[in-house]
Every structure is written in structure tokens, then in C-alpha cells.
Amino acid sequence: DPALLAHFPIAEEAIEALGLVVWPMVEFEADDAIGTAAARFAADPAVERILICTPDKDMAQCVVGDRVVLRDRRRQITYDAAGVREKWGVEPASIPDWLALVGDSSDGYPGLPGWGAKSAAAVLRRYGSIDGIPARASAWEVPGLSGAVRLAAVLEEQREAALLYRTLARLRLDAPLPQSSPAELEWQGAPRAAWEAFCDRWGLTRLRSRPHRWRGEG
């Protein structure tokens, strides 16, 4: 919507005026940039831990042990790999496959008919990915699963759609981020002149003195 799009450059300008690093994305989504950064800096010895702050469950695919974790600030819950397994029933790497089968209304794909959160988790716990699921239910080794014949038939009939949904759910980890070290991301404070000019331009009187740290002023 043009009215919404008009806010984007203002938001980017505000972030830059605060002295924060901005990753403007056109061909990539914000989630791709976050996933790329997490993958790029996770092994850096200067990084103690990476917290991805979002309630979006598709970001759980980025979780690695207890080093890269998902922080739901609304519920005040942090999910490490064990937490992802407990919450969604699958390993972090299987989250895109799980979403493909179950669906994700926020991203606009429906999943496969009959595949629910529990059945998808049970099958993926055994086979890891859609590619590893046998075509015939008679070959499935998933104790306690009901309706396997129906689920297998739906998957076989709609496998191409499931693979498309998985592609949509998977993050790209090749977003063009210019920073090569975590030190380049560190906030050094707001540049006073830039921030005050931005606030004056938009009449943000109450925010003008809000930054608690000014760049180059101690």
C-alpha cells in the first residue's frame, strides 16, 4: 500500500539517525538478513550469544544449541534447541518442513490437508525432512501415529506443493550484509546532530533528548 510504503524511508532514516546499523532489503526479506547475520557471526569468538528477538516461529530454524536462540519478548520465553524441540516437536533444521506440512497463515501458505502439528512433528522426528518420508505408509516407522495411510496419500498427491511451501519457509542465508565482523554492528551511541535534526524535522519534541548515549560524548 502506498501509504505504508511511504513510511519505510522515514523508518530507515530514524534508525540511521540513532546510529544503528541498517540493512535495507529489496530482494530479500528481513528474516533472511537476520538469519544471514546469525549464521555469519555465530562462530565468532567475540560473540557470547545471539538472541533473535521475534515471536515468529519460522525463525526457530536459525537456533543452534544454546548459542543462537529465539527470544519471544511478548511471552518472556527464550527457546534454545531443546526448547524448540519441546515447543514444536522437531529439530530446528526441520522447522521449514514442519511449517510446509502444517501451514503458516502469516506467510500465506496453507499446508497439507489433514496434516496437523502433532502428526507432522511425529513424522519429522523420525525422518527429518519431507525428502526422507517414504512414499508408502506401510514403510513408515512412526509408533502411535494414526491416519498414516491418509497422510501418506495426501503427501504423495501434493508433494510438489509441500516442497514449494518449504522453499517459502526456508530462510536464505546469503543476504548481502556489508559487515564482516560483529564489531561493525556495535552501537556507539546516537550522533547528536543527526538525531536532533531528525526529531526537529518531524516534530518529535519528546524524543529529542531520549537517547541515553551520544556518540563521541563519553
Side-chain angles (χ1 to χ4, degrees):
D1 187 294
L4 176 62
L5 185 62
H7 289 266
F8 288 9
I10 303 172
E12 289 183 8
E13 184 184 354
I15 296 169
E16 289 178 335
L18 278 170
L20 296 169
V21 170
V22 181
W23 294 328
M25 295 287 117
V26 177
E27 297 180 7
F28 292 79
E29 294 188 5
D31 290 355
D32 298 323
I34 295 170
T36 298
R40 180 177 298 180
F41 301 124
D44 195 298
V47 174
E48 180 179 341
R49 198 183 202 194
I50 295 177
L51 284 84
I52 300 175
C53 298
T54 175
D56 293 345
K57 53 184 173 291
D58 56 347
M59 296 299 291
Q61 64 190 275
C62 297
V63 170
V64 179
D66 61 356
R67 184 165 179 78
V68 180
V69 300
L70 191 68
R71 176 66 175 169
D72 185 340
R73 292 187 293 176
R74 294 177 186 173
R75 299 179 176 84
Q76 297 294 300
I77 300 174
T78 299
Y79 299 99
D80 57 9
V84 171
R85 289 192 293 269
E86 181 179 353
K87 174 68 174 178
W88 291 285
V90 296
E91 296 291 333
S94 297
I95 287 291
D97 298 83
W98 184 84
L99 289 170
L101 296 172
V102 175
D104 189 346
S105 58
S106 64
D107 283 330
Y109 49 88
L112 302 190
W115 281 85
K118 292 184 178 179
S119 58
V123 175
L124 289 172
R125 274 198 303 273
R126 173 63 182 84
Y127 297 107
S129 71
I130 292 173
D131 308 287
I133 302 174
R136 300 181 62 84
S138 58
W140 287 13
E141 299 176 355
V142 187
L145 179 69
S146 60
V149 173
R150 177 174 53 86
L151 293 174
V154 169
L155 178 57
E156 188 62 21
E157 179 183 339
Q158 301 190 29
R159 183 175 292 269
E160 185 175 340
L163 295 177
L164 171 61
Y165 302 153
R166 184 177 67 180
T167 298
L168 296 174
R170 275 182 175 167
L171 299 182
R172 291 186 59 178
L173 303 181
D174 59 342
L177 306 184
Q179 295 80 19
S180 59
S181 73
E184 296 175 78
L185 302 174
E186 185 176 356
W187 186 60
Q188 303 293 336
R192 185 187 288 270
W195 176 249
E196 291 179 345
F198 174 81
C199 290
D200 292 344
R201 185 179 311 118
W202 295 102
L204 304 174
T205 305
R206 297 198 324 181
L207 294 180
R208 201 174 189 272
S209 60
R210 181 68 64 86
H212 63 275
R213 180 180 172 189
W214 298 107
R215 181 171 298 179
E217 297 185 18

